[in-house]
């Protein structure tokens, strides 16, 4: 049994190419945001887990989200 993949007649060919083009910037923003989050978490760890914050895990998640957004903005501006 031989399998030949010919995408000339498929209507979703552009979608596959578009997904491969737009996924790497998101992954780059996610990776850079993770590195920024590691630095921010290291600096704010004592304050987050001191008891002043109502829910430390939600604070970590919000800091991570802000770091990913910041890295995406930096990638766009760069």
């Amino acid at each position: 049994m031989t399998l030949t993949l010919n995408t000339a007649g498929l209507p979703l060919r552009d979608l596959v190419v578009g997904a491969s083009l737009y996924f790497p910037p998101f992954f780059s923003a996610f990776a850079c945001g993770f590195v920024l989050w590691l630095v921010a978490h290291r600096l704010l760890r004592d304050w987050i887990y001191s008891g002043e914050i109502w829910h430390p895990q939600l604070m970590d998640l919000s800091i991570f989200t802000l770091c990913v957004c910041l890295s995406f903005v930096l990638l766009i501006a760069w």
Side-chain angles (χ1 to χ4, degrees):
M1 182 171 151
T2 61
L3 177 65
T4 58
L5 184 60
N6 186 5
T7 61
L10 292 176
L12 296 177
R13 181 179 57 168
D14 294 335
L15 180 64
V16 172
V17 172
S20 66
L21 289 175
Y22 288 112
F23 180 71
F26 178 72
F27 181 73
S28 300
F30 188 80
C32 293
F34 182 70
V35 172
L36 287 174
W37 176 79
L38 286 174
V39 172
H41 179 75
R42 178 76 175 170
L43 294 173
L44 299 174
R45 183 176 48 193
D46 293 335
W47 175 65
I48 290 172
Y49 294 111
S50 68
E52 293 180 30
I53 305 295
W54 172 68
H55 205 293
Q57 288 179 337
L58 290 178
M59 186 69 173
D60 273 340
L61 184 62
S62 64
I63 290 173
F64 178 72
T65 305
L66 289 173
C67 288
V68 170
C69 292
L70 177 67
S71 66
F72 196 61
V73 167
L74 290 174
L75 285 173
I76 289 172
W78 181 39

Coordinates of all heavy atoms in Angstrom, one line a residue:
M1 N 0.8 -1.2 0.0 CA 0.0 0.0 0.0 C 0.9 1.2 0.0 O 1.8 1.4 0.8 CB -0.9 0.0 1.2 CG -1.8 1.1 1.3 SD -2.9 0.8 2.7 CE -3.3 2.5 3.1
T2 N 0.7 2.1 -0.9 CA 1.4 3.4 -1.0 C 0.6 4.5 -0.7 O -0.6 4.6 -1.1 CB 2.1 3.5 -2.4 OG1 1.0 3.6 -3.3 CG2 3.0 2.4 -2.7
L3 N 1.1 5.5 0.0 CA 0.4 6.7 0.4 C 1.0 7.9 -0.3 O 2.2 8.2 0.0 CB 0.4 6.8 1.9 CG -0.3 8.1 2.4 CD1 -1.8 8.1 2.1 CD2 0.0 8.3 3.9
T4 N 0.3 8.5 -1.1 CA 0.8 9.8 -1.7 C 0.0 10.9 -1.2 O -1.2 10.9 -1.2 CB 0.7 9.7 -3.3 OG1 -0.6 9.5 -3.6 CG2 1.6 8.5 -3.8
L5 N 0.7 11.9 -0.8 CA 0.0 13.1 -0.2 C 0.1 14.3 -1.2 O 1.2 14.8 -1.4 CB 0.6 13.5 1.1 CG 0.0 14.7 1.8 CD1 -1.5 14.3 2.1 CD2 0.7 15.0 3.1
N6 N -1.0 14.5 -1.9 CA -1.0 15.6 -2.9 C -2.0 16.7 -2.4 O -3.2 16.4 -2.3 CB -1.4 15.1 -4.2 CG -1.3 16.2 -5.3 OD1 -0.9 17.3 -5.0 ND2 -1.8 15.8 -6.5
T7 N -1.6 17.8 -2.0 CA -2.4 18.8 -1.4 C -2.9 19.9 -2.4 O -3.4 20.9 -2.0 CB -1.7 19.6 -0.3 OG1 -0.5 20.2 -0.8 CG2 -1.3 18.6 0.8
A8 N -2.8 19.6 -3.7 CA -3.1 20.6 -4.7 C -4.6 20.8 -4.7 O -5.0 22.0 -4.9 CB -2.7 20.1 -6.1
G9 N -5.4 19.8 -4.5 CA -6.9 20.1 -4.6 C -7.6 20.3 -3.2 O -8.8 20.4 -3.2
L10 N -6.8 20.3 -2.2 CA -7.4 20.4 -0.8 C -7.7 21.9 -0.5 O -6.9 22.7 -0.8 CB -6.5 19.8 0.2 CG -6.3 18.3 0.2 CD1 -5.3 17.9 1.3 CD2 -7.6 17.6 0.4
P11 N -8.9 22.1 0.0 CA -9.3 23.5 0.3 C -8.5 24.1 1.5 O -8.5 25.3 1.7 CB -10.8 23.5 0.5 CG -11.0 22.1 0.9 CD -10.0 21.2 0.2
L12 N -8.0 23.2 2.4 CA -7.4 23.7 3.6 C -5.8 23.8 3.5 O -5.1 23.9 4.5 CB -7.7 22.7 4.8 CG -9.2 22.7 5.1 CD1 -9.3 21.6 6.2 CD2 -9.7 24.0 5.6
R13 N -5.3 23.8 2.3 CA -3.9 23.9 2.1 C -3.4 25.2 2.6 O -2.3 25.3 3.3 CB -3.6 23.8 0.6 CG -2.1 23.8 0.3 CD -1.8 23.7 -1.1 NE -2.5 24.7 -1.9 CZ -2.3 24.9 -3.1 NH1 -1.5 24.3 -3.8 NH2 -3.0 25.9 -3.8
D14 N -4.1 26.3 2.4 CA -3.6 27.6 2.8 C -3.7 27.7 4.4 O -2.9 28.4 5.0 CB -4.5 28.7 2.2 CG -4.3 28.8 0.8 OD1 -3.2 28.4 0.3 OD2 -5.2 29.3 0.1
L15 N -4.6 27.0 5.0 CA -4.8 27.0 6.4 C -3.6 26.3 7.0 O -3.0 26.8 8.0 CB -6.1 26.3 6.8 CG -6.3 26.3 8.3 CD1 -6.5 27.7 8.9 CD2 -7.6 25.4 8.6
V16 N -3.1 25.2 6.5 CA -2.0 24.5 7.0 C -0.7 25.4 6.9 O 0.1 25.5 7.8 CB -1.8 23.2 6.3 CG1 -0.5 22.5 6.7 CG2 -2.9 22.3 6.6
V17 N -0.5 26.0 5.8 CA 0.6 26.9 5.6 C 0.5 28.1 6.5 O 1.5 28.5 7.2 CB 0.7 27.4 4.1 CG1 1.8 28.5 4.0 CG2 1.1 26.2 3.2
G18 N -0.7 28.7 6.7 CA -0.9 29.8 7.6 C -0.6 29.4 9.1 O 0.0 30.1 9.8
A19 N -1.0 28.2 9.4 CA -0.8 27.7 10.8 C 0.7 27.6 11.1 O 1.2 27.9 12.1 CB -1.5 26.4 11.1
S20 N 1.4 27.1 10.1 CA 2.9 26.9 10.3 C 3.6 28.2 10.3 O 4.7 28.4 10.9 CB 3.5 26.0 9.2 OG 3.4 26.6 7.9
L21 N 3.0 29.3 9.7 CA 3.7 30.6 9.7 C 3.4 31.4 11.0 O 4.2 32.1 11.4 CB 3.2 31.4 8.5 CG 3.8 30.9 7.1 CD1 3.1 31.8 6.0 CD2 5.3 31.1 7.1
Y22 N 2.2 31.2 11.5 CA 1.8 32.0 12.7 C 2.0 31.3 14.0 O 1.9 31.9 15.0 CB 0.3 32.4 12.5 CG 0.1 33.5 11.5 CD1 -0.6 33.2 10.3 CD2 0.7 34.7 11.7 CE1 -0.7 34.1 9.3 CE2 0.5 35.7 10.7 CZ -0.2 35.4 9.5 OH -0.3 36.3 8.6
F23 N 2.3 30.0 14.0 CA 2.5 29.4 15.3 C 3.9 29.7 15.9 O 4.0 30.0 17.1 CB 2.4 27.9 15.1 CG 2.7 27.1 16.4 CD1 1.8 27.1 17.4 CD2 3.8 26.4 16.5 CE1 2.0 26.4 18.6 CE2 4.1 25.7 17.7 CZ 3.2 25.7 18.7
P24 N 5.0 29.8 15.1 CA 6.3 30.1 15.8 C 6.3 31.4 16.5 O 7.0 31.5 17.6 CB 7.3 30.1 14.6 CG 6.6 29.1 13.7 CD 5.2 29.4 13.8
P25 N 5.7 32.6 16.1 CA 5.8 33.8 16.9 C 5.1 33.6 18.3 O 5.6 34.1 19.3 CB 5.1 34.8 16.1 CG 5.2 34.4 14.7 CD 5.2 32.9 14.8
F26 N 4.0 32.8 18.3 CA 3.4 32.6 19.6 C 4.2 31.7 20.5 O 4.4 32.0 21.7 CB 2.0 31.9 19.4 CG 1.3 31.6 20.6 CD1 0.7 32.6 21.4 CD2 1.2 30.3 21.1 CE1 0.1 32.3 22.6 CE2 0.6 30.0 22.2 CZ 0.0 31.0 23.0
F27 N 4.9 30.7 19.9 CA 5.8 29.9 20.7 C 7.0 30.7 21.2 O 7.4 30.5 22.3 CB 6.2 28.7 19.8 CG 7.1 27.7 20.6 CD1 6.6 26.9 21.6 CD2 8.5 27.7 20.3 CE1 7.4 26.1 22.3 CE2 9.3 26.9 21.1 CZ 8.8 26.0 22.0
S28 N 7.5 31.6 20.3 CA 8.6 32.4 20.8 C 8.2 33.3 21.9 O 8.9 33.5 22.9 CB 9.1 33.2 19.6 OG 9.5 32.4 18.6
A29 N 7.0 33.9 21.8 CA 6.5 34.7 22.9 C 6.3 33.9 24.2 O 6.6 34.4 25.3 CB 5.2 35.4 22.5
F30 N 5.8 32.7 24.0 CA 5.6 31.8 25.2 C 6.9 31.4 25.8 O 7.1 31.5 27.1 CB 4.9 30.5 24.8 CG 4.4 29.6 25.9 CD1 3.3 29.9 26.6 CD2 5.2 28.5 26.2 CE1 2.9 29.1 27.6 CE2 4.8 27.7 27.2 CZ 3.6 28.0 28.0
A31 N 8.0 31.1 25.0 CA 9.3 30.8 25.6 C 10.0 32.0 26.2 O 10.5 31.9 27.3 CB 10.1 30.2 24.5
C32 N 9.9 33.1 25.6 CA 10.5 34.3 26.2 C 9.7 34.8 27.4 O 10.4 35.2 28.4 CB 10.5 35.5 25.2 SG 11.6 35.2 23.8
G33 N 8.4 34.6 27.4 CA 7.6 34.9 28.6 C 8.0 34.0 29.7 O 7.9 34.5 30.9
F34 N 8.2 32.8 29.4 CA 8.6 31.8 30.5 C 9.9 32.3 31.2 O 10.1 32.2 32.4 CB 8.7 30.4 30.0 CG 9.1 29.4 31.0 CD1 8.1 29.1 32.0 CD2 10.3 28.8 31.0 CE1 8.5 28.2 33.0 CE2 10.6 27.9 32.0 CZ 9.7 27.5 33.0
V35 N 10.9 32.7 30.4 CA 12.2 33.2 30.9 C 12.0 34.4 31.7 O 12.5 34.5 32.8 CB 13.2 33.4 29.8 CG1 14.4 34.1 30.3 CG2 13.5 32.1 29.1
L36 N 11.1 35.3 31.2 CA 10.8 36.5 32.0 C 10.1 36.2 33.3 O 10.4 36.8 34.4 CB 10.0 37.5 31.2 CG 10.7 38.3 30.1 CD1 9.6 39.0 29.3 CD2 11.7 39.2 30.6
W37 N 9.2 35.2 33.3 CA 8.5 34.8 34.5 C 9.5 34.2 35.5 O 9.3 34.4 36.7 CB 7.4 33.8 34.1 CG 6.7 33.3 35.3 CD1 5.7 33.9 36.0 CD2 7.0 32.0 36.0 NE1 5.3 33.1 37.1 CE2 6.1 31.9 37.1 CE3 7.8 31.0 35.7 CZ2 6.1 30.8 37.9 CZ3 7.8 29.9 36.5 CH2 6.9 29.8 37.6
L38 N 10.4 33.4 35.0 CA 11.4 32.8 35.9 C 12.2 33.9 36.7 O 12.4 33.8 37.9 CB 12.4 31.9 35.2 CG 11.9 30.6 34.7 CD1 13.0 29.9 33.9 CD2 11.5 29.7 35.9
V39 N 12.5 35.0 36.0 CA 13.2 36.1 36.7 C 12.3 36.8 37.6 O 12.6 37.1 38.8 CB 13.8 37.1 35.6 CG1 14.4 38.3 36.3 CG2 14.8 36.4 34.8
A40 N 11.1 37.1 37.2 CA 10.1 37.8 38.0 C 9.7 37.0 39.2 O 9.6 37.5 40.4 CB 8.9 38.2 37.2
H41 N 9.5 35.7 39.0 CA 9.1 34.8 40.1 C 10.2 34.7 41.2 O 9.9 34.7 42.4 CB 8.8 33.4 39.6 CG 8.4 32.5 40.6 ND1 7.2 32.5 41.3 CD2 9.1 31.4 41.2 CE1 7.1 31.5 42.2 NE2 8.2 30.9 42.1
R42 N 11.5 34.7 40.7 CA 12.6 34.6 41.6 C 12.7 35.9 42.5 O 12.9 35.9 43.7 CB 13.9 34.4 40.8 CG 15.1 34.4 41.6 CD 15.3 33.1 42.3 NE 16.6 33.1 43.0 CZ 16.9 32.2 43.8 NH1 16.1 31.2 44.1 NH2 18.1 32.2 44.4
L43 N 12.4 37.1 41.8 CA 12.5 38.3 42.6 C 11.3 38.5 43.5 O 11.4 39.1 44.6 CB 12.5 39.5 41.6 CG 13.8 39.6 40.7 CD1 13.6 40.7 39.7 CD2 15.0 39.8 41.6
L44 N 10.1 38.0 43.2 CA 8.9 38.3 43.9 C 8.4 37.1 44.8 O 7.4 37.1 45.4 CB 7.7 38.7 43.0 CG 7.9 39.9 42.2 CD1 6.8 40.1 41.2 CD2 8.1 41.1 43.1
R45 N 9.2 36.0 44.8 CA 8.8 34.8 45.5 C 8.5 35.0 47.0 O 7.5 34.5 47.5 CB 9.8 33.7 45.3 CG 9.4 32.4 45.9 CD 10.4 31.3 45.6 NE 11.8 31.8 45.8 CZ 12.9 31.2 45.4 NH1 12.8 30.1 44.7 NH2 14.1 31.6 45.7
D46 N 9.4 35.7 47.7 CA 9.2 35.9 49.1 C 7.9 36.7 49.4 O 7.2 36.4 50.3 CB 10.4 36.6 49.7 CG 11.6 35.7 49.7 OD1 11.5 34.5 49.6 OD2 12.8 36.3 49.6
W47 N 7.6 37.7 48.6 CA 6.4 38.5 48.8 C 5.2 37.7 48.4 O 4.2 37.8 49.1 CB 6.5 39.8 47.9 CG 5.3 40.6 48.0 CD1 4.8 41.3 49.1 CD2 4.4 40.9 46.9 NE1 3.7 41.9 48.7 CE2 3.4 41.7 47.4 CE3 4.4 40.5 45.6 CZ2 2.4 42.2 46.6 CZ3 3.4 41.0 44.8 CH2 2.4 41.8 45.3
I48 N 5.2 36.9 47.4 CA 4.0 36.2 46.9 C 3.6 35.2 48.0 O 2.5 35.0 48.3 CB 4.3 35.5 45.6 CG1 4.4 36.5 44.5 CG2 3.2 34.5 45.3 CD1 4.8 36.0 43.1
Y49 N 4.6 34.4 48.6 CA 4.3 33.4 49.5 C 4.4 33.8 51.0 O 4.4 33.0 51.9 CB 5.3 32.2 49.3 CG 5.0 31.5 47.9 CD1 6.0 31.6 46.9 CD2 3.9 30.9 47.7 CE1 5.8 31.1 45.7 CE2 3.6 30.3 46.4 CZ 4.6 30.4 45.5 OH 4.4 29.8 44.2
S50 N 4.4 35.1 51.2 CA 4.5 35.6 52.6 C 3.2 35.6 53.3 O 3.1 35.7 54.5 CB 5.1 37.0 52.6 OG 4.2 37.9 52.1
G51 N 2.1 35.5 52.6 CA 0.8 35.5 53.2 C 0.0 36.8 52.9 O -1.2 36.9 53.2
E52 N 0.6 37.8 52.3 CA -0.1 39.0 51.9 C -1.0 38.8 50.7 O -2.0 39.5 50.6 CB 1.0 40.1 51.6 CG 1.8 40.5 52.8 CD 2.8 41.6 52.5 OE1 2.5 42.4 51.5 OE2 3.8 41.7 53.1
I53 N -0.6 37.9 49.9 CA -1.4 37.6 48.7 C -2.5 36.6 49.0 O -2.2 35.6 49.7 CB -0.5 37.1 47.5 CG1 0.6 38.1 47.3 CG2 -1.3 36.8 46.3 CD1 0.2 39.4 46.7
W54 N -3.7 36.8 48.6 CA -4.8 35.9 48.9 C -4.5 34.5 48.3 O -4.7 33.5 49.0 CB -6.1 36.5 48.4 CG -7.2 35.5 48.5 CD1 -7.8 35.1 49.7 CD2 -8.0 34.9 47.5 NE1 -8.8 34.2 49.5 CE2 -8.9 34.1 48.1 CE3 -7.9 34.9 46.1 CZ2 -9.8 33.3 47.4 CZ3 -8.7 34.1 45.4 CH2 -9.7 33.3 46.0
H55 N -4.1 34.4 47.0 CA -3.9 33.1 46.4 C -2.6 33.2 45.6 O -2.6 33.7 44.5 CB -5.1 32.8 45.5 CG -5.3 31.4 45.3 ND1 -4.4 30.6 44.6 CD2 -6.3 30.5 45.7 CE1 -4.8 29.4 44.5 NE2 -5.9 29.3 45.2
P56 N -1.6 32.6 46.1 CA -0.2 32.7 45.5 C -0.2 32.1 44.1 O 0.5 32.6 43.2 CB 0.7 32.0 46.4 CG 0.0 31.9 47.7 CD -1.5 32.0 47.4
Q57 N -0.9 31.0 43.8 CA -0.9 30.4 42.5 C -1.6 31.2 41.5 O -1.1 31.3 40.3 CB -1.6 29.0 42.6 CG -0.7 28.0 43.3 CD -1.4 26.6 43.3 OE1 -2.7 26.6 43.2 NE2 -0.7 25.6 43.5
L58 N -2.6 31.9 41.8 CA -3.3 32.9 40.9 C -2.3 34.0 40.6 O -2.3 34.5 39.5 CB -4.6 33.3 41.4 CG -5.7 32.3 41.5 CD1 -7.0 32.9 42.1 CD2 -6.0 31.8 40.1
M59 N -1.6 34.5 41.6 CA -0.6 35.5 41.4 C 0.5 35.1 40.4 O 0.9 35.8 39.5 CB 0.0 36.0 42.7 CG 0.9 37.2 42.6 SD -0.1 38.6 42.2 CE 1.2 39.8 42.4
D60 N 1.0 33.8 40.6 CA 2.0 33.3 39.7 C 1.4 33.2 38.3 O 2.1 33.6 37.3 CB 2.4 31.9 40.1 CG 3.5 31.9 41.1 OD1 4.2 33.0 41.2 OD2 3.7 30.9 41.8
L61 N 0.2 32.8 38.1 CA -0.4 32.7 36.8 C -0.6 34.0 36.2 O -0.4 34.2 35.0 CB -1.8 31.9 36.9 CG -2.5 31.6 35.6 CD1 -1.6 30.7 34.7 CD2 -3.8 31.0 35.9
S62 N -1.0 35.0 36.9 CA -1.2 36.3 36.4 C 0.1 37.0 36.0 O 0.3 37.6 35.0 CB -2.0 37.2 37.3 OG -1.2 37.4 38.5
I63 N 1.2 36.7 36.8 CA 2.5 37.2 36.4 C 3.0 36.5 35.2 O 3.6 37.2 34.3 CB 3.5 37.0 37.6 CG1 3.1 38.0 38.7 CG2 4.9 37.3 37.2 CD1 3.9 37.8 40.0
F64 N 2.8 35.2 35.0 CA 3.1 34.5 33.8 C 2.4 35.1 32.6 O 3.0 35.2 31.5 CB 2.9 33.0 34.0 CG 3.2 32.2 32.8 CD1 4.5 32.0 32.4 CD2 2.2 31.7 32.0 CE1 4.9 31.3 31.3 CE2 2.5 31.0 30.9 CZ 3.9 30.7 30.5
T65 N 1.1 35.3 32.7 CA 0.4 35.9 31.6 C 0.9 37.2 31.2 O 1.0 37.5 30.0 CB -1.1 36.0 32.0 OG1 -1.6 34.7 32.4 CG2 -2.0 36.4 30.9
L66 N 1.2 38.1 32.2 CA 1.7 39.4 31.9 C 3.1 39.3 31.2 O 3.4 40.1 30.3 CB 1.8 40.2 33.2 CG 0.5 40.7 33.7 CD1 0.7 41.4 35.1 CD2 -0.2 41.7 32.8
C67 N 3.9 38.3 31.6 CA 5.2 38.1 31.0 C 5.1 37.7 29.6 O 5.9 38.1 28.7 CB 6.1 37.1 31.8 SG 6.6 37.8 33.4
V68 N 4.2 36.8 29.3 CA 4.0 36.3 27.9 C 3.5 37.5 27.1 O 3.9 37.6 25.9 CB 3.0 35.1 27.9 CG1 2.6 34.8 26.4 CG2 3.6 33.9 28.5
C69 N 2.5 38.3 27.6 CA 2.1 39.4 26.8 C 3.2 40.4 26.6 O 3.3 41.0 25.5 CB 0.9 40.1 27.5 SG -0.6 39.1 27.6
L70 N 4.0 40.7 27.6 CA 5.1 41.6 27.4 C 6.1 41.1 26.4 O 6.6 41.9 25.6 CB 5.8 41.8 28.8 CG 7.0 42.7 28.8 CD1 6.7 44.1 28.4 CD2 7.8 42.6 30.1
S71 N 6.4 39.8 26.4 CA 7.4 39.3 25.5 C 6.8 39.3 24.1 O 7.5 39.5 23.1 CB 7.8 37.9 25.8 OG 6.7 37.0 25.7
F72 N 5.5 39.1 23.9 CA 4.9 39.2 22.6 C 4.9 40.6 22.1 O 5.2 40.9 20.9 CB 3.4 38.7 22.7 CG 2.8 38.5 21.3 CD1 3.3 37.5 20.5 CD2 1.7 39.2 20.9 CE1 2.8 37.2 19.3 CE2 1.1 38.9 19.7 CZ 1.7 37.9 18.9
V73 N 4.7 41.6 22.9 CA 4.9 43.0 22.5 C 6.3 43.3 22.2 O 6.6 44.0 21.2 CB 4.4 44.0 23.7 CG1 4.8 45.4 23.4 CG2 2.9 43.8 23.8
L74 N 7.3 42.8 22.9 CA 8.7 43.0 22.6 C 9.0 42.4 21.3 O 9.8 42.9 20.5 CB 9.6 42.5 23.7 CG 9.5 43.3 25.0 CD1 10.3 42.5 26.1 CD2 10.0 44.7 24.8
L75 N 8.5 41.2 21.0 CA 8.8 40.6 19.7 C 8.2 41.3 18.5 O 8.8 41.4 17.5 CB 8.2 39.1 19.7 CG 9.1 38.1 20.5 CD1 8.3 36.8 20.6 CD2 10.4 37.9 19.9
I76 N 7.0 41.9 18.8 CA 6.4 42.7 17.7 C 7.2 44.0 17.5 O 7.4 44.4 16.3 CB 4.9 43.0 18.1 CG1 4.1 41.8 18.0 CG2 4.3 44.1 17.2 CD1 2.7 41.9 18.5
A77 N 7.6 44.6 18.5 CA 8.3 45.9 18.4 C 9.7 45.7 17.9 O 10.3 46.6 17.2 CB 8.4 46.6 19.8
W78 N 10.3 44.5 18.1 CA 11.6 44.2 17.7 C 11.6 43.9 16.2 O 12.2 44.2 15.3 CB 12.2 43.1 18.5 CG 13.6 42.8 18.2 CD1 14.6 43.7 17.8 CD2 14.2 41.5 18.2 NE1 15.8 43.0 17.6 CE2 15.6 41.6 17.8 CE3 13.7 40.2 18.4 CZ2 16.4 40.6 17.7 CZ3 14.6 39.2 18.3 CH2 15.9 39.3 18.0

